[in-house]
Amino acid sequence: MGLSRPPTIKRQTSSGGVIFRENNRVIEVALISVKNGSIWTLPKGVVERNEDIIKTALREVKEETGLEGEIVAELGSISYWYYMKDENTKYHKTVYYYLMEYRSGSTEEHDREVEEVKWYPIEEALKRVKYKGDRVVLKRAREILLSQQKRDE
Ligand code: ATP
């Protein structure tokens, strides 16, 4: 029987975004695929030293999707735990998300850590994402965008 040390606990903060555009009244959002294309998720990344959460969100969305947007709303945060075996460390991670209106750039311009970037109608994006946190965030985005659409009618 192996003796195991108790894991170290660390906190980690990331931020990211739901970047959207409207095509013939259909709201589309950009998802990235990672882990050899097995997982569709929202773009995000670790908040670096000397960086605020908003700056990180804009930078990570641009790097991972090739798209630039303007922040129009806060989408709150989600939290999860994961374990890094080689560090024997449990991370308690919080990710802050922002709703961003697409302005420029193309999904071809994503960086190479990401397998693929695609625009999906928000209803399809909700079905594609694997993590519960992504679904929670996409639902918050949908609520804001649909009520905005109604107001514009
Ligand atoms: P970042 O994208 O913030 O730079 P990272 O790519 O190093 O960080 P995560 O994407 O947080 O790290 O992945 C770390 C672990 O957590 C992986 O095992 C991943 O499958 C899992 N994970 C990623 N996102 C979520 C989520 N929303 N809910 C639950 N588990 C997640």
Side-chain angles (χ1 to χ4, degrees), residues 20-52:
F20 72 94
R21 67 180 185 188
E22 205 179 308
N23 239 340
N24 295 325
R25 309 278 300 154
V26 177
I27 294 159
E28 297 180 327
V29 300
L31 295 183
I32 64 170
S33 85
V34 295
K35 300 200 177 181
N36 294 318
S38 63
I39 291 178
W40 287 96
T41 185
L42 292 167
K44 60 146 176 50
V46 173
V47 179
E48 285 167 9
R49 262 172 245 292
N50 304 318
E51 206 176 38
D52 63 41

Side-chain angles (χ1 to χ4, degrees), residues 12-15 34-35 39 41-47 60 64 78-84 93 95 97 113 130-134:
Q12 190 173 58
T13 305
S14 282
S15 68
V34 295
K35 300 200 177 181
I39 291 178
T41 185
L42 292 167
K44 60 146 176 50
V46 173
V47 179
E60 288 288 345
E64 293 196 329
I78 58 146
S79 292
Y80 54 94
W81 287 87
Y82 68 95
Y83 177 64
M84 290 290 272
K93 183 156 183 167
V95 189
Y97 287 96
E113 286 164 46
K130 179 175 173 81
Y131 303 119
K132 179 171 171 272
D134 284 344

Side-chain angles (χ1 to χ4, degrees), residues 5-6 32 40 48 85 108-109 119 121 129 137 141 149-150:
R5 290 173 292 118
I32 64 170
W40 287 96
E48 285 167 9
K85 202 174 175 191
E108 306 297 303
E109 296 163 40
W119 287 106
V129 291
V137 170
Q149 233 177 18
K150 279 216 189 80

Side-chain angles (χ1 to χ4, degrees), residues 5-146:
R5 290 173 292 118
T8 304
I9 310 281
K10 286 187 185 165
R11 286 204 53 103
Q12 190 173 58
T13 305
S14 282
S15 68
V18 174
I19 187 162
F20 72 94
R21 67 180 185 188
E22 205 179 308
N23 239 340
N24 295 325
R25 309 278 300 154
V26 177
I27 294 159
E28 297 180 327
V29 300
L31 295 183
I32 64 170
S33 85
V34 295
K35 300 200 177 181
N36 294 318
S38 63
I39 291 178
W40 287 96
T41 185
L42 292 167
K44 60 146 176 50
V46 173
V47 179
E48 285 167 9
R49 262 172 245 292
N50 304 318
E51 206 176 38
D52 63 41
I53 292 170
I54 286 180
K55 193 175 165 200
T56 307
L58 292 166
R59 176 179 60 73
E60 288 288 345
V61 167
K62 186 180 178 202
E63 286 176 7
E64 293 196 329
T65 67
L67 307 171
E68 282 187 88
E70 193 176 298
I71 292 177
V72 297
E74 293 180 359
L75 295 171
S77 66
I78 58 146
S79 292
Y80 54 94
W81 287 87
Y82 68 95
Y83 177 64
M84 290 290 272
K85 202 174 175 191
D86 52 349
E87 302 172 27
N88 188 32
T89 300
K90 271 177 142 178
Y91 284 90
H92 185 203
K93 183 156 183 167
T94 300
V95 189
Y96 293 84
Y97 287 96
Y98 294 87
L99 184 61
M100 300 176 189
E101 185 164 2
Y102 167 71
R103 288 280 180 256
S104 61
S106 124
T107 53
E108 306 297 303
E109 296 163 40
H110 67 82
D111 70 16
R112 290 174 55 193
E113 286 164 46
V114 169
E115 211 72 39
E116 198 184 354
V117 181
K118 262 183 139 167
W119 287 106
Y120 285 112
I122 195 160
E123 295 304 329
E124 192 180 340
L126 272 160
K127 291 180 194 148
R128 293 245 170 203
V129 291
K130 179 175 173 81
Y131 303 119
K132 179 171 171 272
D134 284 344
R135 263 198 309 283
V136 167
V137 170
L138 278 169
K139 282 182 183 167
R140 290 178 192 155
R142 180 176 65 180
E143 194 182 322
I144 294 170
L145 291 169
L146 291 183

